[in-house]
Amino acid sequence: MLVYVVLALGYLLPPLVCWAFLVRTRAVGAAVLAVLAAPALALVGLEQEWYFTRATAEIEAGYPLAAGLVVLAGALVERRLRGPRPERQFYHPVAGAAVALTVHALVGAAVAVAYPLFAHDAFLPSAAEVPVPAGLTVTRTDGGYCGSDFCARTLTIGSTTGLPAAELEARMRAALTADGWTAGRDGALLRPHGWLLDRRLSTVYLNGRELDLSGSEAANAAR
């Protein structure tokens, strides 16, 4: 757990640290810090499952490049406002930040290349993957379980207006179809779990008030 926290901080903090060494003006410094906080919080939210997006892999891999460009833009704005930095005898903060951000961007590129290779096993999907239309609600979510090549959990769907089970199923199926889920075998609805880098498959089976949500390995996503 400690190793994971250290690695996460090592991936999250370099742009913020570099900007702390580069900042020269209060206004631009605060503005750039606010912009940098947005993708950083997006990463934290993904790890804490505050929300779901199919572009999780792309956000994680693209964070170093996006944050580095924000730092570069801030440095250029400050150069225009304050002029070139004075020469330093032993180090130059711009050169140091440029090296650090370049290495950080290369790490992000490595994450993009490695993601399809390592993110291919079955996964336990989040209930947030399922769009719930107005008037319906998830009343219960179990802890889930995993088999040999899939993981699944069951969601119980309820209605604020007392709809019968058949109507609940029809409305959920319509909402899933509108959200991009496509029909599969045995009445299942399928959708890629990710966008470009993550090719694993999410599957939904509807049975009245019960919704079975499973996550399959990447090999099954191509079938």
Side-chain angles (χ1 to χ4, degrees):
M1 181 63 179
L2 179 60
V3 174
Y4 176 79
V5 171
V6 171
L7 290 175
L9 290 176
Y11 196 70
L12 187 69
L13 294 180
L16 298 170
V17 173
C18 288
W19 181 242
F21 279 99
L22 293 176
V23 63
R24 301 168 69 191
T25 63
R26 183 174 299 178
V28 176
V32 171
L33 183 61
V35 175
L36 286 174
L41 286 175
L43 283 184
V44 173
L46 287 174
E47 292 300 318
Q48 297 299 317
E49 296 187 353
W50 294 342
Y51 65 96
F52 171 77
T53 172
R54 290 178 62 202
T56 294
E58 290 72 25
I59 292 174
E60 292 177 346
Y63 167 72
L65 179 60
L69 291 175
V70 172
V71 173
L72 174 62
L76 291 176
V77 170
E78 289 198 326
R79 179 184 175 87
R80 185 175 182 84
L81 293 175
R82 299 284 300 274
R85 292 174 179 270
E87 293 293 332
R88 302 293 179 94
Q89 185 176 359
F90 299 105
Y91 74 96
H92 199 291
V94 174
V99 171
L101 293 174
T102 299
V103 171
H104 196 220
L106 290 175
V107 171
V111 170
V113 172
Y115 212 102
L117 302 177
F118 291 97
H120 57 75
D121 293 331
F123 63 98
L124 188 61
S126 168
E129 288 201 42
V130 178
V132 180
L136 304 187
T137 183
V138 177
T139 59
R140 179 178 177 274
T141 302
D142 68 10
Y145 63 93
C146 289
S148 59
D149 61 355
F150 76 99
C151 295
R153 69 187 343 142
T154 300
L155 282 63
T156 302
I157 308 299
S159 168
T160 58
T161 56
L163 293 176
E167 181 64 19
L168 285 174
E169 180 177 338
R171 292 190 63 180
M172 281 301 308
R173 189 174 295 276
L176 288 162
T177 301
D179 194 47
W181 296 69
T182 58
R185 291 181 297 180
D186 302 324
L189 291 169
L190 316 173
R191 190 180 70 175
H193 175 65
W195 183 37
L196 296 175
L197 300 177
D198 189 345
R199 302 307 301 168
R200 293 175 296 178
L201 188 69
S202 297
T203 306
V204 161
Y205 292 92
L206 291 164
N207 182 21
R209 298 180 183 276
E210 302 294 321
L211 183 152
D212 294 321
L213 175 63
S214 63
S216 303
E217 59 188 5
N220 290 332
R223 297 175 187 173

